[in-house]
Amino acid sequence: MTKNFTIDEFQCRCGCEMPSDVLANIEDLAEELQVVRQVVESPITINSAYRCYSHNKAVGGAKSSQHLLGKASDIVIKGQEPSDTHSLLDSLMGDKVIIDGGLGKYNTFTHYDIRDTHARW
């Protein structure tokens, strides 16, 4: 998909087939994450990206999760704490380096999505 990301990293963890309409969103998301990867010059692990409805429900995802649309990823940047990743992405979004959308800070990962609106948690 990009220099540092493959489609397999974005697939639903349940093993189902990704719908074709979701793929376009995943391609956009991968491009944005590639920009982040180039800025940080460190590997990025994608813990979760696209989720089908069944898998999203099983993991306790929100009913209107951006993961369902293929617009979201939960990531870890090698060598960074999630709070540092959150701050970095917030800065890149504010500087218009990457798309401004959703950004969430969790204990073990950072959520980034390319929704059409600004959202923080």
Side-chain angles (χ1 to χ4, degrees):
M1 293 190 72
T2 70
K3 180 180 177 184
N4 298 104
F5 296 103
T6 67
I7 186 67
D8 290 341
E9 295 174 278
F10 295 89
Q11 296 285 356
C12 184
R13 299 298 184 229
C14 81
C16 68
E17 187 173 335
M18 182 186 297
S20 58
D21 61 323
V22 170
L23 182 58
N25 293 333
I26 288 293
E27 289 171 344
D28 292 343
L29 178 60
E31 289 295 329
E32 295 302 310
L33 289 174
Q34 183 62 45
V35 172
V36 174
R37 172 68 173 80
Q38 289 168 205
V39 169
V40 298
E41 298 179 343
S42 293
I44 297 174
T45 300
I46 299 172
N47 293 343
S48 180
Y50 168 65
R51 295 182 198 148
C52 68
Y53 288 98
S54 297
H55 185 66
N56 189 61
K57 185 176 181 179
V59 299
K63 290 180 182 178
S64 60
S65 173
Q66 295 295 305
H67 289 277
L68 296 167
L69 305 172
K71 290 186 172 188
S73 59
D74 297 334
I75 65 169
V76 174
I77 297 177
K78 185 176 182 177
Q80 284 195 10
E81 293 296 319
S83 59
D84 297 329
T85 299
H86 186 276
S87 295
L88 170 71
L89 293 177
D90 194 37
S91 174
L92 293 175
M93 293 162 92
D95 292 342
K96 306 289 187 226
V97 174
I98 60 174
I99 291 174
D100 185 21
L103 185 60
K105 183 176 16 175
Y106 294 88
N107 290 333
T108 58
F109 64 89
T110 304
H111 171 97
Y112 169 62
D113 69 57
I114 57 171
R115 70 182 73 196
D116 295 333
T117 59
H118 177 89
R120 298 290 184 275
W121 62 96

